[in-house]
């Protein structure tokens, strides 16, 4: 499962590549690509503590995830139509038990 990160600057939810690398450079677990580019243009370094916390949280969430089950534990036993009611078994046109 891939983690969705929240940008610390603009609060945008974003999904960086699993390798944390874009074609033009590294991805950030702290900033979305727009804010990361803006910070790089201004020369603002990425906060190392925030990066570490974000990566540890993502790793922890991935560890808690249960592995998907590829095989079913048993056959699908759901009914194909609704259950019969008490009245439905009494025959067509019969509305009472005295019938």
């Amino acid at each position: 499962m891939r983690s969705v990160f929240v940008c610390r600057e603009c609060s945008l939810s974003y999904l960086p590549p699993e390798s944390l690398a874009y074609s033009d450079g590294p991805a950030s677990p702290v900033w979305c690509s727009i804010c990361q580019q803006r910070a790089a243009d201004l020369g603002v370094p990425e906060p190392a503590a925030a990066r570490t916390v974000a990566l540890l949280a993502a790793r922890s969430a991935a560890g808690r995830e249960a592995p998907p089950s590829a095989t079913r534990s048993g056959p699908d036993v759901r009914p194909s139509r609704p259950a019969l009611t008490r009245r439905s078994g009494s025959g067509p046109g019969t509305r009472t038990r005295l019938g």
Side-chain angles (χ1 to χ4, degrees), residues 37 39-40 45 53 56-58 79 84 86 94 97:
Q37 183 63 42
V53 168
L56 286 174
L84 297 174
R86 181 175 55 136
T94 305
R97 290 182 179 250

Side-chain angles (χ1 to χ4, degrees), residues 5 8 14 20 27-31 46-61:
F5 293 93
R8 291 192 62 195
Y14 66 101
L20 284 176
S28 170
V30 179
W31 294 320
E46 182 180 62
R51 177 182 178 86
T52 303
V53 168
L55 290 176
L56 286 174
R59 209 171 287 134
S60 173

Side-chain angles (χ1 to χ4, degrees), residues 51-92:
R51 177 182 178 86
T52 303
V53 168
L55 290 176
L56 286 174
R59 209 171 287 134
S60 173
R64 281 181 295 195
E65 176 188 314
S69 175
T71 60
R72 287 188 172 175
S73 60
D76 187 7
V77 293
R78 292 178 289 176
S80 59
R81 60 186 126 188
L84 297 174
T85 62
R86 181 175 55 136
R87 196 182 277 185
S88 67
S90 61

